[in-house]
Amino acid sequence: MLDNRQIDLAAYWMPFTANRQFKAKPRLFTSAKNMHYTSSDGRQVLDGTAGLWCVNAGHCRDPIVKAVQNKVAELDYSPAFQMGHPDAFELANRLTALIGGDYSNVFYTNSGSESVDTALKIALAYHRVKGDAARTRLIGRERGYHGVGFGGISVGGVVTTRKMFGPLLPGVDHLPHTHNLEKNAFSRGEPEWGGHLADELERIVALHDASTIAAVIVEPMAGSAGVLVPPKGYLKKLRAICDKYGFLLIFDEVITGFGRLGSPFAVNHFGVQPDIVTAAKGLTNGTVPMGAVFVRKHIFDTFMTGPDNAIEFFHGYTYSGHPVAVAAALASLDVYAADGLLTRGAGMAKYFEDAVHSLKGKPHVIDVRNIGLVAGIELQPRPGAPGARAYETFVKCFEAGALIRTTGDIIALSPPLIIEKKQIDELVGLIAAALKTVA
Ligand code: PXG
């Protein structure tokens, strides 16, 4: 047990946190195992969010812990440029086999933000290498979240992550988001209404001309901005329009990768093959920072031209393919396979769906939406105090023994994929109880 008041909290500038509010009443975790965190005051807290959408196999799984411990003692670091280590190649082979299709190659990064910027750079460079240098525009979507790099915030559509930091990348445009409570409130799975919103890409083409557009990037399911499940047919339509005009399609699977929707990737779940796929988070079960970018064979092959001694893509990170991160990823894949976790969500989805939809009719709840092991529960904002209701619900849940995540007035649930039915009941029960106590 720790007394939070004895820790000097002053120097740490916390990310995406109300620093003064937090430090006035801190919430600290000191350990974790499987579905639970232990808080600094010694309480068990049920993890309803897999950390931040990353601890898909549950916490401190022995094979992953051991793999990291062993690797750090054996090969602490190996240069990423013009040198390699065997595990990095093995991981790339296993990842391309896992995602399937004709994804032939993997580029390593250290985070989702870096994966996004890497993917955007691959898209721009791809057209340049092909001699199509006029294709420089990038198309994102309103309410999209693609991390915090300048590329990611430029194509992203979350105003708070954009407004302070301009000018952003030029030549970016945005598709409309697909959120519409009048049409789709309390949808189960993919909403019926909204597939036609993909046609808005045609309007963007008419405005800018197809010859200027390099790529379209979307989250197959928008996570951060409040769990927006793609309407039926939407992603297939986007793919078709991209094909028609020669745009690369990028799926940002930082959240949806590694089993979140009940399939290994959203690519598999929706049967749509984008040209480039970004990943991070669940890649190492959140243990060690790591991201990855998957490309299809035609993308990689386009770069493999010119003299053999020429570097084909001037991009990379000191820690691309870090041995300890790679060890964590390999062990995570082993655990996912041994426990069947990358498809476990498919079997649990219906139970989870029924449980979260039982919140319909509870105080303040204006929508519940879900897919796989993800749910969004939207609350009516308190007049004049947007976000306050959801934040207070989050604090009450934490005090009662459950970790949830909120964005604005939306509660997002994304538990570790090992969650059991009785833990789903517990999580939803604690949220229902908290909602009753929030004004
Ligand atoms: N793309 C997507 C789709 C993401 O969800 C990133 C990129 C950036 O990843 P990094 O590793 O650079 O943070 C993300 C990150 C939340 C939440 O509560 C979501 C993210 C991060 C933190 C909190 O919704 N997503």
Side-chain angles (χ1 to χ4, degrees):
M1 289 256 268
L2 254 173
D3 184 349
N4 288 346
R5 287 164 306 184
Q6 288 175 354
I7 304 167
D8 184 352
L9 304 172
Y12 178 22
W13 188 347
M14 297 175 69
F16 276 120
T17 298
N19 275 251
R20 288 160 299 164
Q21 184 185 49
F22 179 92
K23 290 172 187 180
K25 201 167 178 241
R27 296 172 294 274
L28 305 182
F29 289 136
T30 49
S31 64
K33 188 70 188 171
N34 297 330
M35 279 301 299
H36 290 89
Y37 280 106
T38 305
S39 64
S40 55
D41 54 352
R43 294 179 303 112
Q44 290 293 290
V45 178
L46 180 64
D47 185 358
T49 60
L52 283 176
W53 310 81
C54 49
V55 187
N56 289 5
H59 293 274
C60 289
R61 298 293 304 269
D62 288 340
I64 306 172
V65 171
K66 296 239 158 55
V68 168
Q69 288 172 332
N70 290 341
K71 187 52 71 176
V72 75
E74 183 183 81
L75 183 65
D76 55 349
Y77 179 75
S78 166
F81 307 160
Q82 305 284 26
M83 290 298 298
H85 63 96
D87 291 354
F89 299 91
E90 185 194 338
L91 178 62
N93 293 333
R94 285 182 60 182
L95 286 170
T96 51
L98 179 66
I99 196 170
D102 65 348
Y103 295 93
S104 58
N105 293 85
V106 179
F107 196 98
Y108 296 130
T109 73
N110 307 291
S111 67
S113 298
E114 289 180 358
S115 290
V116 166
D117 279 11
T118 299
L120 297 175
K121 287 170 86 172
I122 290 172
L124 292 171
Y126 166 85
H127 292 296
R128 281 284 281 247
V129 171
K130 285 190 23 167
D132 208 352
R135 287 191 185 263
T136 56
R137 273 183 203 285
L138 300 168
I139 311 300
R141 188 169 58 187
E142 297 165 356
R143 293 184 72 146
Y145 184 72
H146 300 291
V148 292
F150 275 99
I153 64 174
S154 300
V155 293
V158 179
V159 68
T160 45
T161 63
R162 294 164 54 85
K163 67 180 179 188
M164 299 289 189
F165 312 113
L168 304 180
L169 280 188
V172 169
D173 207 341
H174 289 78
L175 288 160
H177 66 72
T178 63
H179 192 38
N180 186 322
L181 286 186
E182 268 171 38
K183 301 283 187 193
N184 287 335
F186 299 102
S187 289
R188 291 169 177 248
E190 294 161 67
E192 296 293 333
W193 180 91
H196 66 282
L197 292 170
D199 292 329
E200 290 292 309
L201 186 52
E202 291 278 9
R203 194 182 50 81
I204 290 174
V205 171
L207 180 65
H208 299 297
D209 196 70
S211 65
T212 69
I213 296 174
V216 175
I217 179 167
V218 293
E219 300 157 270
M221 177 216 68
S224 272
V227 182
L228 309 180
V229 181
K232 282 189 180 143
Y234 177 89
L235 295 171
K236 285 209 160 93
K237 204 171 252 190
L238 269 192
R239 175 71 274 184
I241 301 172
C242 287
D243 283 344
K244 179 173 158 193
Y245 295 113
F247 311 154
L248 297 185
L249 179 61
I250 305 169
F251 274 5
D252 185 348
E253 292 228 38
V254 166
I255 276 177
T256 51
F258 303 98
R260 179 54 53 199
L261 303 185
S263 308
F265 290 85
V267 164
N268 317 115
H269 192 82
F270 296 111
V272 176
Q273 284 223 341
D275 302 281
I276 304 174
V277 175
T278 60
K281 294 191 186 271
L283 171 57
T284 62
N285 204 38
T287 315
V288 181
M290 188 179 197
V293 181
F294 297 78
V295 298
R296 287 171 64 183
K297 190 168 185 319
H298 64 278
I299 307 285
F300 186 73
D301 287 350
T302 298
F303 282 87
M304 296 304 122
T305 51
D308 279 358
N309 67 343
I311 291 170
E312 299 96 352
F313 182 43
F314 276 88
H315 180 69
Y317 304 96
T318 301
Y319 302 121
S320 287
H322 191 288
V324 181
V326 169
L330 287 169
S332 297
L333 293 185
D334 289 342
V335 172
Y336 292 151
D339 294 1
L341 292 180
L342 299 187
T343 51
R344 188 169 185 274
M348 292 297 274
K350 182 74 174 81
Y351 191 89
F352 185 71
E353 175 176 289
D354 288 341
V356 292
H357 279 269
S358 73
L359 293 169
K360 184 177 181 179
K362 296 284 184 291
H364 317 304
V365 173
I366 57 172
D367 188 29
V368 177
R369 40 191 187 261
N370 67 288
I371 184 170
L373 281 176
V374 188
I377 300 142
E378 186 155 351
L379 308 182
Q380 182 76 51
R382 186 178 298 156
R389 257 183 196 144
Y391 176 76
E392 288 168 24
T393 309
F394 156 72
V395 172
K396 293 230 156 131
C397 282
F398 172 72
E399 287 167 353
L403 180 70
I404 64 171
R405 174 90 186 139
T406 64
T407 168
D409 275 294
I410 301 164
I411 296 168
L413 299 181
S414 56
L417 307 173
I418 59 169
I419 194 167
E420 297 292 348
K421 288 179 179 172
K422 65 177 190 319
Q423 292 166 327
I424 293 176
D425 296 342
E426 184 188 343
L427 180 62
V428 173
L430 287 171
I431 294 169
L435 286 171
K436 274 195 207 147
T437 66
V438 168

mmCIF file of all heavy atoms in Angstrom, residues 16 51-53 110-116 145-149 219 221-226 252-256 278 280-281 290 405-407 412, ligand 1:
data_model
loop_
_atom_site.group_PDB
_atom_site.id
_atom_site.type_symbol
_atom_site.label_atom_id
_atom_site.label_comp_id
_atom_site.label_asym_id
_atom_site.label_seq_id
_atom_site.Cartn_x
_atom_site.Cartn_y
_atom_site.Cartn_z
ATOM 1 N N PHE A 16 -2.341 13.975 -22.258
ATOM 2 C CA PHE A 16 -3.804 13.884 -22.386
ATOM 3 C C PHE A 16 -4.470 13.744 -21.014
ATOM 4 O O PHE A 16 -5.297 12.854 -20.814
ATOM 5 C CB PHE A 16 -4.196 12.692 -23.279
ATOM 6 C CG PHE A 16 -4.162 12.982 -24.763
ATOM 7 C CD1 PHE A 16 -3.335 12.253 -25.617
ATOM 8 C CD2 PHE A 16 -4.972 13.960 -25.321
ATOM 9 C CE1 PHE A 16 -3.312 12.506 -26.992
ATOM 10 C CE2 PHE A 16 -4.960 14.213 -26.699
ATOM 11 C CZ PHE A 16 -4.125 13.489 -27.531
ATOM 12 N N GLY A 51 -6.013 -1.541 -20.614
ATOM 13 C CA GLY A 51 -5.070 -0.417 -20.504
ATOM 14 C C GLY A 51 -5.602 0.724 -21.344
ATOM 15 O O GLY A 51 -6.636 1.301 -21.044
ATOM 16 N N LEU A 52 -4.907 1.029 -22.423
ATOM 17 C CA LEU A 52 -5.461 1.949 -23.435
ATOM 18 C C LEU A 52 -5.611 1.156 -24.733
ATOM 19 O O LEU A 52 -4.875 1.355 -25.684
ATOM 20 C CB LEU A 52 -4.556 3.169 -23.631
ATOM 21 C CG LEU A 52 -4.617 4.262 -22.558
ATOM 22 C CD1 LEU A 52 -3.593 5.360 -22.855
ATOM 23 C CD2 LEU A 52 -6.006 4.886 -22.444
ATOM 24 N N TRP A 53 -6.491 0.226 -24.757
ATOM 25 C CA TRP A 53 -6.803 -0.614 -25.930
ATOM 26 C C TRP A 53 -5.617 -1.485 -26.342
ATOM 27 O O TRP A 53 -5.487 -1.821 -27.515
ATOM 28 C CB TRP A 53 -7.165 0.223 -27.155
ATOM 29 C CG TRP A 53 -8.173 1.312 -27.063
ATOM 30 C CD1 TRP A 53 -7.961 2.580 -26.591
ATOM 31 C CD2 TRP A 53 -9.536 1.286 -27.504
ATOM 32 N NE1 TRP A 53 -9.105 3.320 -26.714
ATOM 33 C CE2 TRP A 53 -10.085 2.569 -27.277
ATOM 34 C CE3 TRP A 53 -10.341 0.299 -28.094
ATOM 35 C CZ2 TRP A 53 -11.400 2.898 -27.600
ATOM 36 C CZ3 TRP A 53 -11.647 0.633 -28.432
ATOM 37 C CH2 TRP A 53 -12.166 1.920 -28.182
ATOM 38 N N ASN A 110 7.540 2.528 -33.402
ATOM 39 C CA ASN A 110 7.478 2.407 -31.936
ATOM 40 C C ASN A 110 6.139 2.812 -31.337
ATOM 41 O O ASN A 110 5.999 2.835 -30.118
ATOM 42 C CB ASN A 110 8.556 3.281 -31.293
ATOM 43 C CG ASN A 110 9.907 2.987 -31.878
ATOM 44 O OD1 ASN A 110 10.457 1.925 -31.655
ATOM 45 N ND2 ASN A 110 10.427 3.911 -32.651
ATOM 46 N N SER A 111 5.194 3.177 -32.180
ATOM 47 C CA SER A 111 3.909 3.640 -31.647
ATOM 48 C C SER A 111 2.903 3.710 -32.791
ATOM 49 O O SER A 111 3.272 3.639 -33.970
ATOM 50 C CB SER A 111 4.048 5.041 -31.039
ATOM 51 O OG SER A 111 4.322 5.982 -32.068
ATOM 52 N N GLY A 112 1.658 3.927 -32.421
ATOM 53 C CA GLY A 112 0.626 4.124 -33.437
ATOM 54 C C GLY A 112 0.854 5.399 -34.231
ATOM 55 O O GLY A 112 0.676 5.432 -35.456
ATOM 56 N N SER A 113 1.255 6.459 -33.538
ATOM 57 C CA SER A 113 1.492 7.734 -34.234
ATOM 58 C C SER A 113 2.578 7.567 -35.290
ATOM 59 O O SER A 113 2.455 8.088 -36.412
ATOM 60 C CB SER A 113 1.913 8.808 -33.233
ATOM 61 O OG SER A 113 0.899 9.038 -32.287
ATOM 62 N N GLU A 114 3.628 6.873 -34.933
ATOM 63 C CA GLU A 114 4.712 6.654 -35.900
ATOM 64 C C GLU A 114 4.259 5.734 -37.028
ATOM 65 O O GLU A 114 4.696 5.899 -38.175
ATOM 66 C CB GLU A 114 5.935 6.068 -35.193
ATOM 67 C CG GLU A 114 6.652 7.067 -34.294
ATOM 68 C CD GLU A 114 7.855 6.482 -33.597
ATOM 69 O OE1 GLU A 114 8.140 5.274 -33.764
ATOM 70 O OE2 GLU A 114 8.523 7.227 -32.860
ATOM 71 N N SER A 115 3.410 4.788 -36.724
ATOM 72 C CA SER A 115 2.895 3.921 -37.794
ATOM 73 C C SER A 115 2.094 4.740 -38.802
ATOM 74 O O SER A 115 2.212 4.541 -40.018
ATOM 75 C CB SER A 115 2.002 2.813 -37.214
ATOM 76 O OG SER A 115 2.776 1.879 -36.485
ATOM 77 N N VAL A 116 1.299 5.666 -38.296
ATOM 78 C CA VAL A 116 0.486 6.492 -39.185
ATOM 79 C C VAL A 116 1.387 7.369 -40.057
ATOM 80 O O VAL A 116 1.213 7.435 -41.287
ATOM 81 C CB VAL A 116 -0.507 7.352 -38.369
ATOM 82 C CG1 VAL A 116 -1.115 8.443 -39.235
ATOM 83 C CG2 VAL A 116 -1.592 6.470 -37.771
ATOM 84 N N TYR A 145 -9.053 9.602 -35.497
ATOM 85 C CA TYR A 145 -7.881 9.800 -34.624
ATOM 86 C C TYR A 145 -6.749 8.949 -35.156
ATOM 87 O O TYR A 145 -6.878 7.728 -35.273
ATOM 88 C CB TYR A 145 -8.195 9.425 -33.166
ATOM 89 C CG TYR A 145 -7.020 9.708 -32.253
ATOM 90 C CD1 TYR A 145 -6.671 11.016 -31.930
ATOM 91 C CD2 TYR A 145 -6.231 8.676 -31.742
ATOM 92 C CE1 TYR A 145 -5.577 11.296 -31.112
ATOM 93 C CE2 TYR A 145 -5.142 8.946 -30.921
ATOM 94 C CZ TYR A 145 -4.819 10.252 -30.611
ATOM 95 O OH TYR A 145 -3.739 10.514 -29.807
ATOM 96 N N HIS A 146 -5.661 9.618 -35.479
ATOM 97 C CA HIS A 146 -4.519 8.899 -36.028
ATOM 98 C C HIS A 146 -3.243 9.269 -35.282
ATOM 99 O O HIS A 146 -2.176 9.415 -35.884
ATOM 100 C CB HIS A 146 -4.393 9.196 -37.526
ATOM 101 C CG HIS A 146 -5.603 8.790 -38.317
ATOM 102 N ND1 HIS A 146 -5.948 7.475 -38.516
ATOM 103 C CD2 HIS A 146 -6.570 9.524 -38.921
ATOM 104 C CE1 HIS A 146 -7.069 7.417 -39.227
ATOM 105 N NE2 HIS A 146 -7.472 8.647 -39.476
ATOM 106 N N GLY A 147 -3.364 9.436 -33.971
ATOM 107 C CA GLY A 147 -2.194 9.754 -33.177
ATOM 108 C C GLY A 147 -1.866 11.231 -33.227
ATOM 109 O O GLY A 147 -2.677 12.055 -33.671
ATOM 110 N N VAL A 148 -0.654 11.555 -32.797
ATOM 111 C CA VAL A 148 -0.329 12.949 -32.502
ATOM 112 C C VAL A 148 0.836 13.513 -33.306
ATOM 113 O O VAL A 148 1.270 14.628 -33.041
ATOM 114 C CB VAL A 148 -0.072 13.116 -30.988
ATOM 115 C CG1 VAL A 148 -1.366 12.901 -30.205
ATOM 116 C CG2 VAL A 148 1.014 12.164 -30.506
ATOM 117 N N GLY A 149 1.358 12.750 -34.262
ATOM 118 C CA GLY A 149 2.360 13.316 -35.162
ATOM 119 C C GLY A 149 1.695 14.357 -36.060
ATOM 120 O O GLY A 149 0.468 14.410 -36.162
ATOM 121 N N GLU A 219 -9.876 4.909 -39.828
ATOM 122 C CA GLU A 219 -9.945 3.791 -38.889
ATOM 123 C C GLU A 219 -11.137 2.949 -39.347
ATOM 124 O O GLU A 219 -12.240 3.494 -39.516
ATOM 125 C CB GLU A 219 -10.228 4.298 -37.479
ATOM 126 C CG GLU A 219 -9.218 5.258 -36.902
ATOM 127 C CD GLU A 219 -9.855 6.094 -35.791
ATOM 128 O OE1 GLU A 219 -10.404 7.180 -36.091
ATOM 129 O OE2 GLU A 219 -9.818 5.653 -34.637
ATOM 130 N N MET A 221 -12.915 1.034 -37.648
ATOM 131 C CA MET A 221 -13.863 1.434 -36.608
ATOM 132 C C MET A 221 -13.202 2.564 -35.840
ATOM 133 O O MET A 221 -12.116 2.368 -35.301
ATOM 134 C CB MET A 221 -14.155 0.277 -35.652
ATOM 135 C CG MET A 221 -15.084 0.680 -34.521
ATOM 136 S SD MET A 221 -14.708 -0.126 -32.951
ATOM 137 C CE MET A 221 -13.152 0.585 -32.489
ATOM 138 N N ALA A 222 -13.821 3.741 -35.844
ATOM 139 C CA ALA A 222 -13.210 4.872 -35.150
ATOM 140 C C ALA A 222 -13.291 4.628 -33.650
ATOM 141 O O ALA A 222 -14.384 4.468 -33.102
ATOM 142 C CB ALA A 222 -13.907 6.162 -35.538
ATOM 143 N N GLY A 223 -12.150 4.576 -32.988
ATOM 144 C CA GLY A 223 -12.114 4.249 -31.559
ATOM 145 C C GLY A 223 -12.119 5.466 -30.664
ATOM 146 O O GLY A 223 -13.089 5.746 -29.951
ATOM 147 N N SER A 224 -11.038 6.216 -30.738
ATOM 148 C CA SER A 224 -10.814 7.321 -29.802
ATOM 149 C C SER A 224 -11.929 8.344 -29.775
ATOM 150 O O SER A 224 -12.259 8.877 -28.726
ATOM 151 C CB SER A 224 -9.547 8.068 -30.193
ATOM 152 O OG SER A 224 -8.470 7.477 -29.583
ATOM 153 N N ALA A 225 -12.480 8.644 -30.957
ATOM 154 C CA ALA A 225 -13.489 9.708 -31.004
ATOM 155 C C ALA A 225 -14.860 9.191 -30.624
ATOM 156 O O ALA A 225 -15.870 9.842 -30.895
ATOM 157 C CB ALA A 225 -13.509 10.359 -32.372
ATOM 158 N N GLY A 226 -14.926 8.006 -30.027
ATOM 159 C CA GLY A 226 -16.191 7.595 -29.438
ATOM 160 C C GLY A 226 -16.831 6.344 -29.980
ATOM 161 O O GLY A 226 -18.044 6.206 -29.902
ATOM 162 N N ASP A 252 -6.194 2.398 -40.500
ATOM 163 C CA ASP A 252 -5.467 2.564 -39.243
ATOM 164 C C ASP A 252 -6.043 1.563 -38.245
ATOM 165 O O ASP A 252 -7.115 1.763 -37.683
ATOM 166 C CB ASP A 252 -5.619 4.002 -38.749
ATOM 167 C CG ASP A 252 -4.793 4.268 -37.501
ATOM 168 O OD1 ASP A 252 -4.291 3.293 -36.911
ATOM 169 O OD2 ASP A 252 -4.658 5.449 -37.125
ATOM 170 N N GLU A 253 -5.300 0.470 -38.068
ATOM 171 C CA GLU A 253 -5.761 -0.627 -37.205
ATOM 172 C C GLU A 253 -5.035 -0.639 -35.860
ATOM 173 O O GLU A 253 -4.839 -1.702 -35.265
ATOM 174 C CB GLU A 253 -5.577 -1.967 -37.926
ATOM 175 C CG GLU A 253 -6.485 -2.145 -39.131
ATOM 176 C CD GLU A 253 -7.172 -3.503 -39.113
ATOM 177 O OE1 GLU A 253 -7.559 -3.962 -38.023
ATOM 178 O OE2 GLU A 253 -7.300 -4.092 -40.203
ATOM 179 N N VAL A 254 -4.630 0.536 -35.409
ATOM 180 C CA VAL A 254 -3.919 0.609 -34.130
ATOM 181 C C VAL A 254 -4.788 0.048 -32.996
ATOM 182 O O VAL A 254 -4.289 -0.606 -32.082
ATOM 183 C CB VAL A 254 -3.451 2.057 -33.862
ATOM 184 C CG1 VAL A 254 -3.025 2.256 -32.420
ATOM 185 C CG2 VAL A 254 -2.295 2.401 -34.808
ATOM 186 N N ILE A 255 -6.092 0.284 -33.091
ATOM 187 C CA ILE A 255 -7.017 -0.254 -32.085
ATOM 188 C C ILE A 255 -7.622 -1.581 -32.531
ATOM 189 O O ILE A 255 -7.755 -2.518 -31.743
ATOM 190 C CB ILE A 255 -8.123 0.780 -31.793
ATOM 191 C CG1 ILE A 255 -7.609 1.780 -30.745
ATOM 192 C CG2 ILE A 255 -9.416 0.121 -31.339
ATOM 193 C CD1 ILE A 255 -8.588 2.892 -30.423
ATOM 194 N N THR A 256 -8.000 -1.677 -33.804
ATOM 195 C CA THR A 256 -8.749 -2.855 -34.249
ATOM 196 C C THR A 256 -7.854 -4.071 -34.497
ATOM 197 O O THR A 256 -8.356 -5.198 -34.534
ATOM 198 C CB THR A 256 -9.543 -2.539 -35.534
ATOM 199 O OG1 THR A 256 -8.650 -1.943 -36.485
ATOM 200 C CG2 THR A 256 -10.688 -1.590 -35.254
ATOM 201 N N THR A 278 -1.922 0.070 -40.612
ATOM 202 C CA THR A 278 -1.081 0.437 -39.470
ATOM 203 C C THR A 278 -1.515 -0.358 -38.245
ATOM 204 O O THR A 278 -2.692 -0.677 -38.071
ATOM 205 C CB THR A 278 -1.214 1.927 -39.133
ATOM 206 O OG1 THR A 278 -2.586 2.197 -38.816
ATOM 207 C CG2 THR A 278 -0.774 2.795 -40.283
ATOM 208 N N ALA A 280 -0.204 -1.193 -33.805
ATOM 209 C CA ALA A 280 0.649 -0.909 -32.634
ATOM 210 C C ALA A 280 0.014 -1.639 -31.448
ATOM 211 O O ALA A 280 -0.397 -2.781 -31.590
ATOM 212 C CB ALA A 280 0.770 0.597 -32.379
ATOM 213 N N LYS A 281 -0.101 -0.981 -30.336
ATOM 214 C CA LYS A 281 -0.852 -1.449 -29.165
ATOM 215 C C LYS A 281 -0.778 -2.972 -28.917
ATOM 216 O O LYS A 281 0.144 -3.456 -28.301
ATOM 217 C CB LYS A 281 -2.308 -0.978 -29.266
ATOM 218 C CG LYS A 281 -2.436 0.561 -29.170
ATOM 219 C CD LYS A 281 -3.869 0.978 -29.009
ATOM 220 C CE LYS A 281 -4.066 2.478 -29.053
ATOM 221 N NZ LYS A 281 -3.963 3.152 -27.793
ATOM 222 N N MET A 290 5.740 -0.560 -29.453
ATOM 223 C CA MET A 290 6.080 -1.027 -30.794
ATOM 224 C C MET A 290 4.889 -0.814 -31.723
ATOM 225 O O MET A 290 3.744 -0.965 -31.305
ATOM 226 C CB MET A 290 6.441 -2.511 -30.788
ATOM 227 C CG MET A 290 6.984 -2.989 -32.127
ATOM 228 S SD MET A 290 7.442 -4.727 -32.138
ATOM 229 C CE MET A 290 8.473 -4.739 -33.601
ATOM 230 N N ARG A 405 -13.029 4.072 -19.901
ATOM 231 C CA ARG A 405 -12.361 5.181 -20.571
ATOM 232 C C ARG A 405 -13.443 6.100 -21.109
ATOM 233 O O ARG A 405 -14.489 5.610 -21.576
ATOM 234 C CB ARG A 405 -11.502 4.621 -21.701
ATOM 235 C CG ARG A 405 -10.854 5.624 -22.584
ATOM 236 C CD ARG A 405 -9.491 6.037 -22.101
ATOM 237 N NE ARG A 405 -9.010 7.126 -22.945
ATOM 238 C CZ ARG A 405 -8.378 8.196 -22.512
ATOM 239 N NH1 ARG A 405 -8.096 8.339 -21.234
ATOM 240 N NH2 ARG A 405 -7.989 9.125 -23.347
ATOM 241 N N THR A 406 -13.232 7.381 -21.029
ATOM 242 C CA THR A 406 -14.232 8.292 -21.567
ATOM 243 C C THR A 406 -13.592 9.272 -22.531
ATOM 244 O O THR A 406 -12.425 9.635 -22.395
ATOM 245 C CB THR A 406 -14.948 9.086 -20.459
ATOM 246 O OG1 THR A 406 -13.997 9.914 -19.795
ATOM 247 C CG2 THR A 406 -15.608 8.163 -19.459
ATOM 248 N N THR A 407 -14.376 9.671 -23.519
ATOM 249 C CA THR A 407 -13.961 10.709 -24.453
ATOM 250 C C THR A 407 -15.173 11.597 -24.631
ATOM 251 O O THR A 407 -16.247 11.113 -25.014
ATOM 252 C CB THR A 407 -13.464 10.088 -25.782
ATOM 253 O OG1 THR A 407 -13.341 11.124 -26.736
ATOM 254 C CG2 THR A 407 -14.370 9.022 -26.323
ATOM 255 N N ALA A 412 -16.082 4.473 -23.474
ATOM 256 C CA ALA A 412 -15.619 3.432 -24.396
ATOM 257 C C ALA A 412 -15.157 2.232 -23.569
ATOM 258 O O ALA A 412 -14.367 2.386 -22.639
ATOM 259 C CB ALA A 412 -14.473 3.956 -25.254
HETATM 260 N N1 PXG B 1 -4.215 5.507 -34.523
HETATM 261 C C1 PXG B 1 -5.288 5.118 -33.830
HETATM 262 C C2 PXG B 1 -6.476 4.590 -34.569
HETATM 263 C C3 PXG B 1 -5.270 5.174 -32.439
HETATM 264 O O1 PXG B 1 -6.344 4.792 -31.761
HETATM 265 C C4 PXG B 1 -3.031 6.059 -32.564
HETATM 266 C C5 PXG B 1 -3.110 5.974 -33.931
HETATM 267 C C6 PXG B 1 -1.788 6.589 -31.946
HETATM 268 O O2 PXG B 1 -1.111 5.609 -31.263
HETATM 269 P P1 PXG B 1 0.005 6.000 -30.177
HETATM 270 O O3 PXG B 1 0.648 4.667 -29.862
HETATM 271 O O4 PXG B 1 0.946 6.926 -30.818
HETATM 272 O O5 PXG B 1 -0.723 6.629 -29.020
HETATM 273 C C7 PXG B 1 -4.116 5.649 -31.795
HETATM 274 C C8 PXG B 1 -4.038 5.764 -30.304
HETATM 275 C C9 PXG B 1 -8.481 6.291 -26.180
HETATM 276 C C10 PXG B 1 -7.066 6.299 -26.611
HETATM 277 O O6 PXG B 1 -8.753 6.249 -24.995
HETATM 278 C C11 PXG B 1 -6.758 5.922 -27.893
HETATM 279 C C12 PXG B 1 -5.447 5.960 -28.326
HETATM 280 C C13 PXG B 1 -4.440 6.330 -27.472
HETATM 281 C C14 PXG B 1 -4.752 6.693 -26.169
HETATM 282 C C15 PXG B 1 -6.072 6.684 -25.731
HETATM 283 O O7 PXG B 1 -9.386 6.249 -27.009
HETATM 284 N N2 PXG B 1 -5.234 5.599 -29.617
#
